[in-house]
Amino acid sequence: MGDPREPPEGAPEGGSGNEDEFRSVVFDESFVRAARIQELSARERLAGPLGKATRPRVRLGPLGTVPRQALALLLLILLAFGAAVYFGVRTPMGAAVRPEGGQLTVSLVALAPASAVRPVADPADPFAALPVGYGEGTLGLNTPAGAAAGGFSRIEVTKALDTVQRYLVASSLSPATLVHGATADVRTFVTPGEQAGFDTSVAQPVDDRHHAATGWMVRFDPARVALASNTVKVVGAMRIDEADGGTLEVTTDHTFVYALKPAGAPAGAPVTLETVRRQLTFEFDRVDLASGQLRLVDSVVEAGPEPCGTSAAGFLQPVLATAQGAVVAPPAPVDPGNHALPGWQVCGVLAGG
């Protein structure tokens, strides 16, 4: 009796016909996917060149077989990630990273009168004795027309000059700032990096060359001083420079003349002229230009008639004339061995005062 597992015709030549020989070979799904070649479909065989019935599989190391579309997508993702990292660490226009903060440097110079301070001859026309050249308010600022400077366009320079002019109006010409103690309008022009320094200067002013409120704005103590006229006479100019490829610098030098009287004084009271010279240096980057803000980096203030030895960090301290004139002691000699006083305190004599 033959083996029931053998075919009726008998075992083929060259083999026993026993299936046990092939039980160790398992053609599961992983085996098929691992094949280096893959048989083309009927449509691919008809569309492809004659004689080509297979195509190679694309392999990616231990990840197994990956279609070409997946490889292309992975490559695009890697390129996008690399581009994001590259452009993310660069700053616009190749500029250096802008500083997070800043500190204003202030120099306050009191100009003491050389003789008794006399009131103006005509309180109704307090500026009659001023020399020719002074303009009224904004006209006296002499803001130049914008022109391209280095890497900054004419539009950018014009925006910087306009911001400086509006700052000077708010900080030097506005009655709210001058004699009413307002500071908010001036603060709106200060960049976020300098606002903490500005706030400290207003809340706790001190003549330490950095935290004087009068370095930021012209202000008089409203308990002592009032404006005899809202008109302010001004003379001066502005200069534009490019500090570096990413920083625009504007320097201003103006003299302001104010007509003052004692707070609460009636009309016709003696009027004193207070002269304040402000030399200011501003810096802008393109972020500042876009926001309409500025960085005030240096402020030199000369004011008189002012007494020497009195702090003007919080408010300027004008010597107000009386009907008979006000007498102020001349500047005291400076003792370089007295370390109780800051070494940067400066006092001069007001010419013609």
Side-chain angles (χ1 to χ4, degrees):
M1 180 70 65
D3 190 335
R5 293 175 294 179
E6 294 180 358
E9 297 81 11
E13 294 184 5
S16 64
N18 193 332
E19 293 179 356
D20 291 340
E21 296 182 29
F22 302 100
R23 286 178 180 172
S24 62
V25 181
V26 180
F27 297 96
D28 58 6
E29 185 178 358
S30 62
F31 179 88
V32 175
R33 290 182 180 277
R36 293 181 178 274
I37 61 175
Q38 181 181 10
E39 183 179 2
L40 299 176
S41 66
R43 180 176 297 177
E44 289 174 326
R45 287 198 298 270
L46 290 175
L50 295 177
K52 185 173 182 180
T54 62
R55 62 169 175 264
R57 284 183 179 270
V58 179
R59 298 176 60 82
L60 188 62
L63 298 179
T65 304
V66 179
R68 286 189 176 91
Q69 294 89 340
L71 276 179
L73 180 60
L74 179 60
L75 182 59
L76 286 175
I77 293 174
L78 291 175
L79 288 175
F81 179 77
V85 172
Y86 176 72
F87 289 109
V89 299
R90 299 186 69 204
T91 55
M93 305 296 292
V97 178
R98 69 194 304 257
E100 291 295 329
Q103 191 174 51
L104 169 65
T105 300
V106 181
S107 296
L108 301 177
V109 182
L111 300 178
S115 58
V117 179
R118 302 291 181 182
V120 298
D122 183 3
D125 187 11
F127 305 107
L130 287 181
V132 176
Y134 279 84
E136 184 172 326
T138 306
L139 295 177
L141 296 176
N142 292 321
T143 306
F152 290 86
S153 67
R154 180 185 63 82
I155 294 177
E156 290 174 322
V157 172
T158 300
K159 182 67 180 293
L161 291 171
D162 177 69
T163 302
V164 168
Q165 175 176 294
R166 291 188 293 120
Y167 174 84
L168 290 174
V169 170
S171 65
S172 306
L173 301 177
S174 170
T177 302
L178 296 175
V179 293
H180 296 300
T183 61
D185 289 346
V186 178
R187 190 180 189 275
T188 59
F189 292 97
V190 180
T191 58
E194 286 192 320
Q195 285 177 358
F198 178 89
D199 293 340
T200 301
S201 300
V202 172
Q204 298 175 321
V206 59
D207 188 8
D208 62 353
R209 304 204 71 179
H210 298 294
H211 298 100
T214 47
W216 295 96
M217 61 200 126
V218 178
R219 62 199 311 245
F220 305 103
D221 186 352
R224 293 185 56 247
V225 179
L227 292 176
S229 170
N230 286 334
T231 298
V232 179
K233 292 292 187 175
V234 190
V235 66
M238 304 185 190
R239 187 180 72 249
I240 305 99
D241 297 295
E242 185 185 29
D244 55 50
T247 305
L248 185 67
E249 184 178 271
V250 178
T251 304
T252 65
D253 189 354
H254 293 96
T255 300
F256 303 86
V257 182
Y258 306 92
L260 306 179
K261 64 179 182 178
V271 175
T272 307
L273 293 184
E274 170 85 349
T275 302
V276 180
R277 181 180 179 182
R278 303 184 77 197
Q279 291 180 298
L280 309 176
T281 302
F282 304 91
E283 289 184 352
F284 297 84
D285 60 20
R286 288 180 169 83
V287 176
D288 301 327
L289 292 173
S291 64
Q293 293 177 306
L294 47 78
R295 282 176 282 156
L296 178 57
V297 297
D298 191 67
S299 175
V300 179
V301 179
E302 296 177 347
E306 301 251 339
C308 288
T310 302
S311 174
F315 299 100
L316 297 179
Q317 305 290 338
V319 178
L320 299 179
T322 65
Q324 294 77 30
V327 179
V328 177
V334 175
D335 178 7
N338 183 4
H339 294 180
L341 297 176
W344 59 80
Q345 284 195 344
V346 179
C347 186
V349 176
L350 178 63

